[in-house]
Amino acid sequence: MARNVTKNRKLAMTVLAWAIGILIFFPILWTILTSFKTEAEAIASPPSFLFFDWTLDNYREVQERSNYFRHFSNSVIISLGSTILGLAIAIPAAWSMAFVPGRRTKDVLMWMLSTKMLPPVGVLIPIYLIFRDTGLLDTLTGLTIVLMLINLPIIIWMLFTYFREIPGEILEAARMDGAGLKAEIIHVLTPMAVPGIASTLLLNIILAWNEAFWTLNLTAAKAAPLTAFIASYSSPEGLFYAKLSAASTMAIAPILILGWFSQKQLVRGLTFGAVK
Amino acid sequence: MATAHSRSAARIMISPAVILLLGWMLIPLSMTLYFSFLRYNLLMPGTHDWAGFLNYRFFLTDPAFFAALKNTLILVGGVLAITIVGGVLLAILLDQPMWGQGIVRILVIAPFFVMPTVGALVWKNMFMNPVNGLFASLAKGIGMQPFDFLGEAPLASIILMVAWQWLPFATLILLTALQSLDSDQLEAAEMDGAGPLSRFFHIMLPHLARAITVVVLIQTIFLLSVFAEILVTTNGGPGYATTNITYLVYAQSLLQFDVGGGSAGGIVAVILANIVAIFLMRMIGKNLDI
């Protein structure tokens, strides 16, 4: 009888969890479905759920009307560029703090984190004016630099927590075997550090892709990534639900896929080791 | 183990990051501080008169500031309440044995990866629109009047949108914390005849206390700066109904070009964020042993 009870319980939990999961996911699902409808069907009442004439016209139209792929590639360039640049600066820093910690290392780490707590409006005007005067406004270079800087503390912290898990004894063993510093780094440390670096890369691409304060305030037509492009749908003309859905689906699809791979890193990356 | 040589190498390796972050923090922040004491409007080039605390007086006595402060607190508080209560319940649910747990997890986490402008516009148009939205269709379907979400309850609607985006974050972190709970302890309590409610209040909730605090602090930092959702849905209106501090500073600086006033507002926002940040930093620092 006890087994029966647990089985019923498992069934009830399954039904409940699936119902809530689908409810939470529904806005995304609805967006994806609407992107395949015609504009008339998109606002039909009662709405059709699956039985409508599936069409790809919206995707074609979004691209033709607004050169969607330029904004898409802006997003790719900005998020990849800022992450890689950030890694190049953060890897040596996190490395030295993890393997050669000094008396001040903790203070430095905490201070770096505190820069992340700075609300963006606190520096909006100076950054805007500096960008205006140096011609960086509405450029990919400018946005890449800003996104690199706002995510740098997170990158350093994530790498630091990963590097700390590499046991120091391995280094000593390699040294005993006569490995030089260069060989030590290339053959021993790098292979052990790669998974951590990959996770950091993934999470920061996601954060940069979805960043929506600086991308909205520092770009106009030219360098606008998808966050800013989608925002242009806030003052629409005519029927636009299906087109909005198509543009949205393309904007979130790559990150949804990356995001599912990085669930675990999300906790580590955004809680700074405070929850394990 | 660390030699003087490796120490100086370490210092060189860390310096680019330190210099960049120092520059990013100090230069613009001191500029904001400086501007906040000037009479400086981009529409009146040339005037940079010293204004003393005038900008602060104007900003802090402006009715818009009180409206924005109130909205900020309601927004942060509302989203926190929904995401913490919902997150605890969801985490406990997802921790139960079930079929297809991995897939449910993915469904629940997905909203966190949706960019804020997409999430807000989808909610605004396809769900909350009083004419064509799905909620309006549902209301008509059961014979009710459609409700104009962003017109009648604008702030509550934005809270709903933002909570939808942050619920996954709270759930994921609380679930991680819950999974580190020793199941023997729960079983022992069950053997001793503790009901589900008393197990929840006496074992699970104390165990989750730390994770809940972390979620509250981290979310507060991000929620104080909610911006895109407001920009694409209501533009802070109607009136000041959905203007938070972040949006108010944006409007003052980049829409009214009032650099002095906007800067004073920016400094106020920094001070507000720091009150939360101090607690968060203390918690993180305690967990960091070097």
Side-chain angles (χ1 to χ4, degrees):
Chain A
M1 198 190 98
R3 261 193 70 172
N4 226 345
V5 170
T6 36
K7 201 152 190 202
N8 281 341
R9 188 184 143 89
K10 191 172 171 182
L11 186 67
M13 287 302 161
T14 305
V15 172
L16 185 64
W18 274 85
I20 293 176
I22 289 170
L23 194 70
I24 290 175
F25 188 74
F26 188 75
I28 299 171
L29 178 67
W30 192 245
T31 307
I32 297 171
L33 287 174
T34 307
S35 74
F36 295 109
K37 296 177 179 177
T38 62
E39 292 293 358
E41 272 166 330
I43 57 163
S45 182
S48 44
F49 193 69
L50 285 172
F51 304 104
F52 52 85
D53 295 323
W54 292 65
T55 169
L56 284 170
D57 284 351
N58 301 306
Y59 288 91
R60 202 172 306 132
E61 215 168 313
V62 165
Q63 163 60 13
E64 274 166 13
R65 267 202 197 172
S66 53
N67 199 359
Y68 183 88
F69 284 104
R70 202 186 63 210
H71 302 294
F72 190 88
S73 67
N74 284 348
S75 273
V76 172
I77 292 167
I78 292 166
S79 49
L80 268 182
S82 66
T83 304
I84 290 169
L85 200 61
L87 280 175
I89 295 162
I91 289 175
W95 193 279
S96 68
M97 286 192 284
F99 293 117
V100 199
R103 263 178 306 123
R104 310 289 294 278
T105 300
K106 186 173 176 175
D107 295 335
V108 173
L109 267 173
M110 294 310 288
W111 166 74
M112 285 178 167
L113 187 60
S114 74
T115 65
K116 185 69 201 161
M117 314 275 162
L118 188 70
V121 281
V123 292
L124 172 63
I125 296 172
I127 296 297
Y128 185 86
L129 293 178
I130 293 172
F131 269 45
R132 191 195 60 180
D133 295 342
T134 52
L136 282 173
L137 220 50
D138 200 19
T139 63
L140 294 176
T141 317
L143 217 48
T144 305
I145 293 171
V146 166
L147 290 196
M148 184 273 283
L149 286 168
I150 62 165
N151 285 334
L152 192 57
I154 292 187
I155 300 182
I156 292 176
W157 263 81
M158 272 186 86
L159 288 175
F160 174 78
T161 58
Y162 280 113
F163 289 168
R164 288 258 298 172
E165 285 168 9
I166 299 175
E169 295 83 38
I170 284 192
L171 288 185
E172 275 168 42
R175 223 166 280 162
M176 298 277 236
D177 291 346
L181 183 65
K182 212 172 129 192
E184 208 174 88
I185 289 178
I186 294 174
H187 296 296
V188 185
L189 285 180
T190 308
M192 300 190 73
V194 164
I197 295 174
S199 314
T200 310
L201 180 92
L202 212 58
L203 181 66
N204 277 279
I205 289 175
I206 296 171
L207 291 178
W209 185 276
N210 286 341
E211 202 284 332
F213 182 82
W214 295 109
T215 51
L216 288 171
N217 279 314
L218 296 179
T219 63
K222 236 176 353 116
L226 288 169
T227 43
F229 167 68
I230 301 282
S232 69
Y233 277 92
S234 59
S235 44
E237 288 157 24
L239 288 174
F240 70 106
Y241 284 14
K243 284 188 277 293
L244 167 67
S245 299
S248 299
T249 303
M250 286 191 281
I252 61 176
I255 288 311
L256 277 182
I257 294 164
L258 282 189
W260 289 334
F261 286 114
S262 68
Q263 296 174 35
K264 290 242 168 64
Q265 283 71 44
L266 192 75
V267 175
R268 186 198 279 256
L270 292 175
T271 60
F272 307 100
V275 172
K276 284 189 185 120
Chain B
M1 190 186 100
T3 59
H5 179 71
S6 67
R7 280 222 187 287
S8 64
R11 212 162 289 154
I12 293 168
M13 282 159 84
I14 199 174
S15 50
V18 171
I19 292 167
L20 277 173
L21 283 176
L22 204 61
W24 166 246
M25 191 157 99
L26 276 187
I27 297 170
L29 201 57
S30 33
M31 282 171 79
T32 306
L33 195 61
Y34 174 63
F35 290 155
S36 73
F37 291 109
L38 297 183
R39 244 165 60 97
Y40 182 4
N41 193 308
L42 290 179
L43 297 178
M44 296 181 287
T47 29
H48 291 75
D49 303 337
W50 186 257
F53 283 93
L54 207 61
N55 287 320
Y56 287 95
R57 211 162 79 203
F58 278 132
F59 189 82
L60 293 174
T61 54
D62 188 347
F65 168 71
F66 290 104
L69 186 63
K70 198 182 87 189
N71 292 337
T72 306
L73 295 178
I74 294 174
L75 178 65
V76 173
V79 174
L80 281 179
I82 297 174
T83 52
I84 297 294
V85 174
V88 169
L89 296 177
L90 261 175
I92 292 174
L93 178 62
L94 289 178
D95 201 31
Q96 307 296 318
M98 68 176 72
W99 287 288
Q101 200 169 29
I103 301 171
V104 176
R105 232 174 107 121
I106 285 173
L107 294 177
V108 169
I109 289 164
F112 191 71
F113 300 114
V114 174
M115 55 175 69
T117 44
V118 165
L121 280 176
V122 164
W123 276 105
K124 176 193 178 187
N125 293 301
M126 289 159 59
F127 287 88
M128 292 175 171
N129 185 292
V131 182
N132 295 323
L134 197 60
F135 290 153
S137 289
L138 284 179
K140 277 182 266 179
I142 55 171
M144 274 167 49
Q145 249 340 288
F147 184 70
D148 182 4
F149 285 87
L150 283 159
E152 302 282 331
L155 192 56
S157 305
I158 288 182
I159 289 175
L160 181 65
M161 294 173 192
V162 178
W164 177 72
Q165 290 194 305
W166 283 95
L167 181 62
F169 175 79
T171 306
L172 199 58
I173 286 173
L174 294 170
L175 183 60
T176 308
L178 203 57
Q179 281 165 346
S180 70
L181 177 62
D182 196 359
S183 60
D184 292 350
Q185 215 182 336
L186 280 177
E187 272 163 34
E190 202 172 352
M191 299 274 221
D192 291 345
L197 270 182
S198 92
R199 265 177 289 156
F200 172 74
F201 281 108
H202 291 116
I203 299 178
M204 280 185 183
L205 215 50
H207 178 79
L208 286 179
R210 185 187 164 75
I212 291 175
T213 318
V214 171
V215 172
V216 167
L217 294 171
I218 292 177
Q219 282 200 35
T220 306
I221 298 277
F222 283 96
L223 294 175
L224 284 172
S225 296
V226 165
F227 172 74
E229 291 86 346
I230 297 172
L231 180 78
V232 300
T233 54
T234 62
N235 273 313
Y240 286 110
T242 54
T243 297
N244 65 354
I245 301 272
T246 299
Y247 193 84
L248 184 67
V249 175
Y250 154 80
Q252 193 137 20
S253 348
L254 296 191
L255 299 182
Q256 296 164 27
F257 303 106
D258 179 4
V259 171
S263 296
I267 295 296
V268 172
V270 170
I271 292 169
L272 285 178
N274 271 342
I275 296 172
V276 184
I278 288 169
F279 290 103
L280 178 57
M281 299 278 291
R282 203 171 285 168
M283 285 204 72
I284 293 169
K286 247 186 240 162
N287 236 35
L288 176 75
D289 38 78
I290 295 176

